[in-house]
Amino acid sequence: MEINRRKFQGVLNILSFNRHFYFFGIGILALMIISHQIFHWSDFLFWIIIISFLYGLIMPLIVSAYVYDFSGYYDFKWLKNCAINDSEVKQILNINAGFDETSFIIKKNFPNADLKVFDFYDAERHTEPAIIRARKVSMVYPDTQQMKSNLIVSDDHSGDLIFLLSAVHEIRSNDEKIQFLKECYRVCKPNGKVIMVEHLRDFPNFLAFSVGFTHFFSKRIWRNAFKNSGFTTFEEVKFTPFMSIFICTP
């Protein structure tokens, strides 16, 4: 089975999952327009505010369309940059936060490997409205296992590849991130790889998402988290100016 992606599915997902921000933003815009008509305050200031709000509402959708609908993210051609020998991959783990659009694609790319899928979502800890909505429409790979973020039910040194695709930023606590990555370290073979793809809290993503870029973490935070979890390598490959692929080995 595969996920048949519709046109603009990526940007429509972003719009749907974060609709509370858009309702709030449109409400603020309406109040600004009404107040300008009633109080007749500076036209210059009015247009600066209107343009800023429109930028904040529209730019994330443009960037999301670019990243998720037009860049080839779901074609997985970026795997070529990860120096993976397909013939040596026997065991793969794909770990998500309850929204899974990649497991069927991974299985297609590695048909001879055993794929285990884990979901670390915890309703008490991971309270972002967007991920709660995403879970309601997510496809579920067969035999997906629910897990705690500090325990992956898999043998030591059993995984050739561990995929963490746009998911781990949902773990907001740094201590929890380190405990989770320690489990990834335990499960990963000495010659295996953890492949993590994330937006970063950096200037390109600030331009794309304005204050929303604080939902992501900086490269420094990720590097320190992997280092404190035991990993010896931390390599970054850029995938578009807005996404980073991190390739980490024990």
Side-chain angles (χ1 to χ4, degrees), residues 125-136:
R125 286 184 170 186
H126 313 137
T127 58
E128 289 285 334
I131 194 61
I132 294 172
R133 294 190 184 111
R135 286 177 59 81
K136 294 179 180 179

Side-chain angles (χ1 to χ4, degrees), residues 26-74:
I26 291 171
I28 293 294
L29 273 177
L31 289 176
M32 288 292 179
I33 293 170
I34 292 170
S35 68
H36 182 254
Q37 296 298 317
I38 294 174
F39 299 109
H40 303 290
W41 41 284
S42 167
D43 286 345
F44 177 77
L45 179 59
F46 170 75
W47 284 112
I48 289 292
I49 294 174
I50 293 297
I51 291 170
S52 297
F53 264 89
L54 288 175
Y55 180 93
L57 291 173
I58 296 173
M59 186 55 67
L61 300 180
I62 294 174
V63 171
S64 296
Y66 165 54
V67 171
Y68 296 109
D69 296 311
F70 295 104
S71 70
Y73 176 69
Y74 289 102

Side-chain angles (χ1 to χ4, degrees), residues 171-188:
I171 300 177
R172 308 308 297 173
S173 162
N174 194 59
D175 289 340
E176 186 184 356
K177 278 200 292 290
I178 291 173
Q179 290 302 314
F180 170 78
L181 292 174
K182 282 182 177 179
E183 276 295 283
C184 293
Y185 178 86
R186 177 185 67 79
V187 171
C188 192

